[in-house]
Amino acid sequence: MTELISVWPPFALTLATPRLTLRPLRDDHIPAAVEAAASGIHDEGRNPFSTPWTSVPADELGPNMARWYWQCRAASTPDSWTLTLGIWHDGTFLGCQDIAARDFSVLRTVTTGSWLRRSAQSRGFGREMRAAVALYAFDWFGADVCESEAADWNAASLGVSRSLGYELNGLTRMSWGGRQETVQRVRLTPATFRRPEWHLKVEGHEPTAKFLGIPAG
């Protein structure tokens, strides 16, 4: 029987840090992701996401999350792709870390976004999972730039960025879920990256890179 990773190679990918395992979300992971999100991510009325997906009624959260994960897979080509990585610690699902790119072969730039269930926050996991995808982007994909953004009031996200060496990359005004937000953009390069002391363990890179159109080496 043909295995799923032979028809969707990114499912072979695993990134491992000292405490975390990051893997592309499969369908059987979606219920755990929904449960983690439903347990709470942020304070009421202060939504840190450009699309306020956590603010929908409880019975819509699961279908909306599933649609997003399926959409990311369906739309991924070498010209434009998103890897949505689930985060596990000691077998418990904590949240998601996305890494995405458009025209990577030309721009050598990736963008990232993430969320953690509230019970996993303030434990250094956010920094560890962002460091993992930055290491993967720079050392395995050969990226030149890693970009992110956060509302200017989101001290936790911006604190993670500062701790890893991201530089401020301009303020912009955006509409987030029909509300005006001032958004701080941040930018990381190999030269500014404050690398962790630990080493990232990677499995399944070759089929993932080939699928995304990233040259070997």
Side-chain angles (χ1 to χ4, degrees):
M1 179 181 294
T2 301
E3 294 187 5
L4 186 58
I5 61 173
S6 68
V7 295
W8 198 258
F11 283 148
L13 182 66
T14 300
L15 309 181
T17 73
R19 297 187 296 170
L20 304 175
T21 300
L22 294 76
R23 296 194 300 268
L25 280 181
R26 298 190 181 211
D27 284 1
D28 58 350
H29 300 148
I30 294 176
V34 175
E35 185 276 328
S39 73
I41 299 173
H42 57 82
D43 293 336
E44 189 81 22
R46 263 292 169 96
N47 201 312
F49 305 115
S50 56
T51 299
W53 58 274
T54 55
S55 300
V56 300
D59 62 347
E60 296 180 18
L61 181 64
N64 283 356
M65 291 177 68
R67 289 187 191 101
W68 168 247
Y69 300 138
W70 294 331
Q71 176 183 327
C72 288
R73 289 186 213 149
S76 287
T77 69
D79 294 328
S80 178
W81 49 264
T82 299
L83 292 178
T84 300
L85 306 175
I87 311 296
W88 284 265
H89 170 64
D90 289 342
T92 299
F93 188 94
L94 303 186
C96 287
Q97 173 72 65
D98 296 349
I99 179 171
R102 288 187 179 182
D103 297 322
F104 182 82
S105 62
V106 176
L107 302 177
R108 314 301 290 186
T109 297
V110 300
T111 60
T112 66
S114 64
W115 61 268
L116 277 173
R117 64 194 308 157
R118 193 185 294 274
S119 62
Q121 295 173 18
S122 302
R123 298 171 61 184
F125 292 138
R127 186 180 192 276
E128 194 167 324
M129 63 202 228
R130 183 105 68 90
V133 291
L135 286 167
Y136 188 48
F138 291 145
D139 296 350
W140 296 79
F141 283 175
D144 296 328
V145 179
C146 188
E147 295 180 331
S148 190
E149 64 184 24
D152 65 346
W153 51 260
N154 192 340
S157 178
L158 294 173
V160 168
S161 297
R162 283 193 299 271
S163 73
L164 291 172
Y166 283 77
E167 297 177 330
L168 301 183
N169 195 31
L171 290 170
T172 189
R173 182 179 290 181
M174 300 177 68
S175 175
W176 283 18
R179 296 177 58 178
Q180 183 188 119
E181 290 284 3
T182 299
V183 177
Q184 177 68 65
R185 290 172 171 158
V186 292
R187 184 177 189 267
L188 186 69
T189 66
T192 64
F193 185 24
R194 295 173 185 161
R195 290 174 171 266
E197 296 180 355
W198 45 265
H199 295 285
L200 181 70
K201 298 178 182 178
V202 179
E203 296 179 1
H205 169 69
E206 288 77 10
T208 301
K210 182 178 179 180
F211 179 80
L212 298 178
I214 297 172

